[in-house]
Amino acid sequence: MTTLDNKGKSMLKYLGLFVLILSSFILTNYSHALSWETSCTVDKGSIQRKGWSSYVFKTSKNHCRGGIFKQRSEINTSNISVTRKQTYVFSTIMAMNTKSAEPFLFFQIHDGRNGCSPPLSVRWGRNNRLSFDSDYTKGIGMAGCVQNVSLRRSGYTGPPLKRDGTKYPIKVVLAFDGNGSFNVDVSVKGNKAISGKYAPSSNPELVRSKQFYMKHGVYSQNVFAYEMTSEGVRVGR
């Protein structure tokens, strides 16, 4: 009887240790998990969710404040800490179907500013190549925008993309340094396509970001008819 009691106590001890280790693992790996929600609001039916991680984006008026872009159908994540060193990997299989050549943004690292381009936008251009948009801001709307030339001049090395529903595996790797800067690498079909670095300006007139968050969908200056699917949207660390 005594032997059984000792075994029982030993089992409980190891079980408690296992629970402690498991809890630590969960907190370490999932405490900074990101969740998605609709950005501002969209026209009815403009964002359709398929299963747990796939979306269909369609034309919508821009219901957000500020800026000159008239069309927006996007989702955004919860906040990412500016002061924590960490790496995130955004991935999806994306397909654009449209007869228009209108340029649009499909991924952003935003900080909540109004008017200016955010720290990072990935643009699908009229020439069907990718480029970066990036601004600094004085916090006074469009009048206070200063272009971030370093990111805007990053060269695209991938092939022209098609707007006929062709599926493209897209991956965006973001390495945040904990001081407001981050490196970005975008790959298409597993091949590195465009990369660069965002660093806050040393100009005291320019506002430093206090938070970051991701945005995904279709954001364009002009309204155009399209349907974009994004399958298996995932953010890993």
Side-chain angles (χ1 to χ4, degrees):
M1 185 70 177
T2 303
T3 303
L4 289 174
D5 288 343
N6 288 337
K7 284 183 177 180
K9 291 178 181 179
S10 180
M11 287 179 67
L12 288 174
K13 178 181 178 181
Y14 284 117
L15 180 60
L17 182 61
F18 173 77
V19 171
L20 181 62
I21 294 173
L22 180 62
S23 299
S24 177
F25 174 82
I26 292 173
L27 288 172
T28 300
N29 289 277
Y30 296 101
S31 59
H32 308 303
L34 303 178
S35 58
W36 294 95
E37 63 181 11
T38 300
S39 180
C40 298
T41 58
V42 296
D43 295 348
K44 185 176 181 180
S46 293
I47 297 179
Q48 300 171 14
R49 187 168 181 173
K50 304 292 185 180
W52 287 100
S53 59
S54 296
Y55 297 84
V56 178
F57 300 94
K58 298 181 180 180
T59 309
S60 173
K61 293 179 182 177
N62 183 2
H63 295 273
C64 295
R65 294 187 299 113
I68 59 174
F69 280 30
K70 301 180 181 68
Q71 192 283 141
R72 184 199 303 263
S73 181
E74 292 182 303
I75 54 177
N76 62 258
T77 67
S78 48
N79 288 342
I80 299 170
S81 173
V82 173
T83 59
R84 181 178 289 112
K85 185 176 182 180
Q86 54 198 332
T87 298
Y88 284 98
V89 180
F90 168 86
S91 59
T92 186
I93 299 175
M94 203 171 75
M96 168 57 79
N97 201 326
T98 181
K99 294 181 179 179
S100 173
E102 176 71 21
F104 64 93
L105 310 177
F106 67 84
F107 180 84
Q108 301 180 63
I109 293 295
H110 219 294
D111 59 3
R113 67 183 63 177
N114 287 321
C116 305
S117 292
L120 173 74
S121 297
V122 184
R123 174 184 290 268
W124 182 322
R126 190 175 296 276
N127 61 0
N128 292 316
R129 297 176 182 271
L130 303 184
S131 61
F132 292 138
D133 285 3
S134 179
D135 279 354
Y136 299 113
T137 178
K138 295 181 181 179
I140 55 175
M142 294 295 293
C145 304
V146 177
Q147 288 193 348
N148 178 2
V149 177
S150 175
L151 266 179
R152 286 178 177 267
R153 287 183 177 174
S154 298
Y156 177 67
T157 59
L161 306 178
K162 297 179 180 179
R163 300 179 178 223
D164 60 359
T166 299
K167 294 184 178 182
Y168 295 101
I170 304 288
K171 182 178 290 185
V172 183
V173 180
L174 298 145
F176 297 90
D177 71 352
N179 294 307
S181 300
F182 57 85
N183 292 313
V184 53
D185 292 290
V186 181
S187 63
V188 180
K189 289 188 173 181
N191 298 312
K192 190 172 181 178
I194 188 169
S195 61
K197 180 177 181 178
Y198 175 83
S201 172
S202 59
N203 185 341
E205 294 184 0
L206 301 176
V207 179
R208 291 179 67 96
S209 302
K210 295 181 173 59
Q211 63 183 15
F212 291 134
Y213 54 90
M214 299 182 190
K215 302 188 79 174
H216 176 51
V218 181
Y219 184 33
S220 61
Q221 184 168 349
N222 299 307
V223 177
F224 70 107
Y226 68 85
E227 180 174 298
M228 189 182 84
T229 60
S230 189
E231 301 175 355
V233 176
R234 183 176 183 273
V235 178
R237 294 189 65 220

